[in-house]
Each structure stands twice: as C-alpha cells, then as structure tokens.
Amino acid sequence: MDTRAFKRSLHHSDRYNRRGFGLGEEVAGSLEQAYQSNLIASLRENGHVLQRGRLKIRLAEAFGFCWGVERAVAMAYETRRHYPSERIWITNEIIHNPSVNAHLRQMDVRFIPVDDDVKDFSEVGTGDVVILPAFGATVQEMQLLNERGCHIVDTTCPWVSKVWNTVEKHKKHAFTSIIHGKVKHEETLATSSFAGTYLVVLDLAEARMVSDFILERGQGAVDRQAFMDHFAKACSPGFDPDRDLVRVGVANQTTMLKSETEEIGRLFERTMLQRFGPSELDEHFLAFNTICDATQERQDAIFALVDEPLDLMVVIGGYNSSNTTHLQEIAVSRGILSFHIDTPERIGPGNRIEHKPLGGALETLEPFLPAGPVRVGITSGASTPDRVVEDVIERLVGLSEE
C-alpha cells in the first residue's frame, strides 16, 4: 500500500486526533499528583546529590520522563476526560512503565489483548476510541481501526515519526532500510511496517554479518542459506540479500544505544565505500540521524555519572523498556555493581532487592546494601515518573537506617 497516501488521508479524517483536546489545565492536577515529586525537584536544584545518614545518593542529571512520554501520557488523560463514557482502548502499553499503565487501567482504559504475540482487535467496535502509544502502531493496525470507524488518538512521539519518514525516503529511492532495533519491539514493528524492503539488526555483531555478506557476495565465503536462516524473522517478505543489499539506508529504533547506532552507520558507510568506491557511494548508501535527543541525553548523563565514585547503581524502568536496558548496559560496561528494577516495591525490608540482571531473569539479593557509608548512583528510563524515583530513594534510605 502507499503508506504516505494513507497517512495523509488518515490525518485529514475527523475521527483522527494527534494534538490533544485542549484540556491540559484540566488534567494537570491529576498528572502532578500521580507522577511529580517535590523531593526530585529539590534534588534537581541542589546538584542532584542527597546525603541521608550513611547513604549518599547521586542522581543522573538527565533521567526519567522525556517530553514525548509526558505528551503521550497527558493526551491519554485528556482522552478519558474528552470521552467520559465511551469505550477507550490502547493498542499497547502507552509507555513501558507498569505504574503509568496501572493508572490508565484504573481510568477504565482497556488494553488490546495479545495471544502468542498476536493482538486481538475483535472486541473493538465502531465508535470506540483507540489510543496509539508513544512508540506508535503499525500501518496495518491504523488501517484496521480506520476502516472499523474508530476514533483514533495518536500519541506517537515525533522522534518515532521522524524515523518513519526516514524509511519512507529509503523506500522512495529504492534503498533497503537497515533498522537497528529489536525485532519484536513495538516501535521497530511499526517502523518496518512503513518501510519497503528492510532488514533489522539487533547489534553491531549482526551488522557485521550483513557487512561481510555485502563484501563477500559472489565469492562463496558467506553461506547464503545460513544468513537467511539467521535473519528469517527480521526481514521483509521476499527479502533477497543478493538483490536487496546493493543499496542500503540506515535507521534505528529511537531508544537503542546511541554509540552503537552511530558505529553501525559508519560500518555500512565503510562497507559500501569499499564495495563500490567513493564516486558511487551516494548511489548505494543513505544515512539520516534518527537518534532521539532524550535517549541521547540520558545516555550521556549516565556516562558522566559512572565516572563518579560509586559503590552501586540502581536503574529504574520497565523491564521491557529498551532505553532503560541500555542505561543498565552502560553501567555494567563500566564494571559497576548495577541493579535494574521496575518498581519501588522490588526493594524490600530486610535489606533485600529483587532485580533483573542484564540479559537475565529476575533474582533476589540479600543482603543488598553493604555496611558502612554507601554511594549509590540512580537513573531512570524515559518512561519512569519522578514519583517512582522518589519512592525508590525513600526505600533505599529506609534500608540504610535498618
């Protein structure tokens, strides 16, 4: 389908809204009560440092809710206020934070059920209101909802829309989109739905596999079938690496690790330069900067934080939050004892913590805080409210006083 034409048509529909309902002042009190924190505001004004007894907290200079997340959550609250009695659905979590999504459920916002990674829209009817989350929805989902006569409230982050525009440009000029992202992540699914021919690479190692294929194609050095088996669930239908890796453009899931996305872009630029020469590089390689400012700021802030003397790091955010996971990755890469938690309740009495190690399953550590003075670094993903960060700090202080 012509995704550009469909988007234009959808944006002109009187059943589509991506600007909110002008009810910001009416929902401001509810948002402040649910998500803001006087303690965190004070910390921001006092050098992001808090000393409580033997505990010294160092808070990253950039953390928590980004503008796109604030916008999406506010629009969801406005939607319930504007449609007080209609059935309201959301195609996925509004953002990857359990407390925020719990608040929406309390407001009788329904979540599209998912069975074996397949969403079931069967209960969504004409006239229902459907919210598209901050990381977007696939063009097929938008089309289904539009044809069903739903009212669509689109909270997609503008940075995500920027990536969609990038892959549209790739498609227009017959370039394959190399998407740095997680294949099953909602944002990557949405981005790939707007692309033409695409291939998703998770990391630099997979990008190097693609680079090797491009450089060694036709020489028998790379097993074509092994390549296709590896990327079978990460490419567009009918993908042919011999045909589709001649002209490539790079895009990314906005919450990936900035440095890795940049390195992948440089890798493919060098690859096409080596394969086709400088005079033809522009005919075979395209790159646009689609790294989210907020993601970059939070990653830069934790790089600065881990340069401070710390005994341990606490990273707060949903376990399915890509940007939070990458914050954890940065701390681990510096050899700092690091704990990823999704809610304050993971820190319990008796000096214990339930946390998720990078790439692992939930585990419990007891005792958690060491004896004597403790220096703790804290950061949070872009979907984590200040109120949650405050609750984590208060629990840490409580443990230090036991």
Side-chain angles (χ1 to χ4, degrees), residues 145-212:
L145 296 170
N146 184 52
E147 291 175 350
R148 197 164 290 187
C150 297
H151 297 278
I152 298 173
V153 179
D154 188 353
T155 78
T156 303
C157 175
W159 276 99
V160 175
S161 298
K162 180 179 178 181
V163 181
W164 295 353
N165 291 335
T166 293
V167 297
E168 290 275 15
K169 291 175 183 175
H170 293 167
K171 180 169 59 178
K172 179 180 179 181
H173 297 287
F175 279 70
T176 292
S177 295
I178 304 291
I179 303 170
H180 178 211
K182 300 177 180 179
V183 172
K184 293 186 178 181
H185 191 281
E186 300 91 332
E187 182 187 326
T188 296
L189 291 171
T191 297
S192 62
S193 76
F194 285 96
T197 305
Y198 67 85
L199 182 70
V200 179
V201 295
L202 174 63
D203 51 26
L204 189 56
E206 287 197 342
R208 287 184 178 128
M209 291 177 61
V210 180
S211 171
D212 289 344

Side-chain angles (χ1 to χ4, degrees), residues 261-276:
T261 291
E262 291 176 335
E263 182 57 32
I264 287 172
R266 289 191 292 268
L267 171 66
F268 282 110
E269 184 175 25
R270 292 194 304 269
T271 298
M272 304 315 267
L273 183 64
Q274 182 177 342
R275 175 91 175 114
F276 298 102

Side-chain angles (χ1 to χ4, degrees), residues 173-373:
H173 297 287
F175 279 70
T176 292
S177 295
I178 304 291
I179 303 170
H180 178 211
K182 300 177 180 179
V183 172
K184 293 186 178 181
H185 191 281
E186 300 91 332
E187 182 187 326
T188 296
L189 291 171
T191 297
S192 62
S193 76
F194 285 96
T197 305
Y198 67 85
L199 182 70
V200 179
V201 295
L202 174 63
D203 51 26
L204 189 56
E206 287 197 342
R208 287 184 178 128
M209 291 177 61
V210 180
S211 171
D212 289 344
F213 188 94
I214 292 170
L215 294 176
E216 299 173 14
R217 60 190 291 274
Q219 300 178 27
V222 176
D223 187 322
R224 186 182 189 281
Q225 190 56 52
F227 181 91
M228 289 303 300
D229 289 345
H230 184 88
F231 290 105
K233 297 181 179 180
C235 61
S236 50
F239 184 85
D240 181 343
D242 292 311
R243 176 194 65 208
D244 297 327
L245 292 176
V246 175
R247 291 160 57 87
V248 303
V250 177
N252 69 296
Q253 182 182 310
T254 58
T255 53
M256 299 301 282
L257 192 62
K258 167 196 169 187
S259 58
E260 188 166 44
T261 291
E262 291 176 335
E263 182 57 32
I264 287 172
R266 289 191 292 268
L267 171 66
F268 282 110
E269 184 175 25
R270 292 194 304 269
T271 298
M272 304 315 267
L273 183 64
Q274 182 177 342
R275 175 91 175 114
F276 298 102
S279 63
E280 296 189 28
L281 178 63
D282 291 346
E283 293 297 317
H284 298 275
F285 176 75
L286 281 176
F288 299 92
N289 180 9
T290 55
I291 297 171
C292 165
D293 277 351
T295 297
Q296 180 175 331
E297 288 169 359
R298 281 148 187 74
Q299 290 175 7
D300 290 345
I302 194 172
F303 274 118
L305 185 59
V306 295
D307 284 338
E308 300 286 338
L310 299 173
D311 296 303
L312 58 93
M313 175 78 72
V314 177
V315 180
I316 312 162
Y319 291 136
N320 57 346
S321 166
S322 177
N323 77 88
T324 306
T325 301
H326 289 304
L327 297 177
Q328 167 83 335
E329 184 179 330
I330 291 169
V332 169
S333 72
R334 294 298 182 91
I336 297 174
L337 185 62
S338 186
F339 301 90
H340 179 185
I341 61 174
D342 61 344
T343 64
E345 289 73 24
R346 300 292 184 183
I347 298 174
N351 197 15
R352 64 185 292 276
I353 187 170
E354 185 180 35
H355 68 107
K356 191 174 186 297
L358 189 65
L362 278 173
E363 60 181 49
T364 300
L365 177 66
E366 186 177 354
F368 162 46
L369 288 182

Side-chain angles (χ1 to χ4, degrees), residues 60-174:
E61 291 196 5
F63 65 95
F65 267 13
C66 63
W67 173 83
V69 164
E70 288 182 348
R71 171 181 173 273
V73 174
M75 285 180 68
Y77 274 62
E78 285 190 36
T79 300
R80 173 45 81 197
R81 185 66 63 93
H82 185 76
Y83 295 104
S85 57
E86 285 83 354
R87 291 202 309 175
I88 299 179
W89 301 84
I90 187 165
T91 61
N92 211 300
E93 296 180 335
I94 184 75
I95 56 175
H96 286 149
N97 183 272
S99 64
V100 175
N101 290 297
H103 286 155
L104 292 181
R105 289 187 173 93
Q106 291 167 8
M107 295 160 55
D108 197 26
V109 174
R110 309 177 186 206
F111 288 64
I112 299 294
V114 180
D115 186 21
D116 289 333
D117 293 329
V118 178
K119 295 178 186 177
D120 180 5
F121 288 90
S122 60
E123 293 187 35
V124 180
T126 300
D128 284 359
V129 180
V130 183
I131 300 172
L132 310 184
F135 34 73
T138 68
V139 67
Q140 291 82 10
E141 289 172 352
M142 295 184 202
Q143 188 177 30
L144 180 152
L145 296 170
N146 184 52
E147 291 175 350
R148 197 164 290 187
C150 297
H151 297 278
I152 298 173
V153 179
D154 188 353
T155 78
T156 303
C157 175
W159 276 99
V160 175
S161 298
K162 180 179 178 181
V163 181
W164 295 353
N165 291 335
T166 293
V167 297
E168 290 275 15
K169 291 175 183 175
H170 293 167
K171 180 169 59 178
K172 179 180 179 181
H173 297 287

